[in-house]
Amino acid sequence: MSDALISLIPTYGPWIIFGIVALESADVPLPGETILVAAALLAATTGQISIVVVVLASAGGAIVGDGIGYMVGRRFGLLLIRRYGRMAAHGAKRSFANLPSSVEWRKADWSFDHCNAHCVDVCQ
């Protein structure tokens, strides 16, 4: 798969770098580092793509992918942990089997929001 993706760099350039790095930053298992290293080597040896373009595309992809991952986790994270947490913890020492109740989650959210609001007031 990596070879096929690397062969797309001369054709699609920054778009393939941006897309693969963004998806990898959003926790989709793709070879983002491999694409990045291959693009940097291609820029250094052949000049088919500019190193500035490689840096900007990878930085932009990482920022966008991180934001997407955050939004997905914020919106669906608790649902996914409750539904698939036991499978994710399979073989792990610490299991998600004993998740807190809804009331405990609400208390934790309120506590976090309250402390954040207090810290913002104190820091200003």
Side-chain angles (χ1 to χ4, degrees), residues 10 26 50 121:
S50 168
D121 290 341

Side-chain angles (χ1 to χ4, degrees), residues 77-92:
L78 184 58
L79 174 72
L80 292 172
I81 287 174
R82 286 189 175 154
R83 183 171 294 173
Y84 302 110
R86 292 182 186 175
M87 287 188 283
H90 180 70

Side-chain angles (χ1 to χ4, degrees), residues 27-38:
D27 291 332
V28 176
L30 288 171
E33 288 89 3
T34 305
I35 292 296
L36 189 55
V37 169

Side-chain angles (χ1 to χ4, degrees), residues 31-106:
E33 288 89 3
T34 305
I35 292 296
L36 189 55
V37 169
L41 288 172
L42 192 64
T45 58
T46 65
Q48 291 180 355
I49 188 169
S50 168
I51 191 68
V52 173
V53 170
V54 172
V55 170
L56 292 176
S58 61
I63 292 167
V64 168
D66 187 48
I68 290 170
Y70 173 79
M71 287 188 297
V72 168
R74 177 84 173 147
R75 174 69 177 100
F76 301 108
L78 184 58
L79 174 72
L80 292 172
I81 287 174
R82 286 189 175 154
R83 183 171 294 173
Y84 302 110
R86 292 182 186 175
M87 287 188 283
H90 180 70
K93 290 186 179 188
R94 185 170 180 210
S95 175
F96 291 116
N98 298 322
L99 289 173
S101 68
S102 307
V103 173
E104 291 170 325
W105 280 110
R106 284 195 299 269

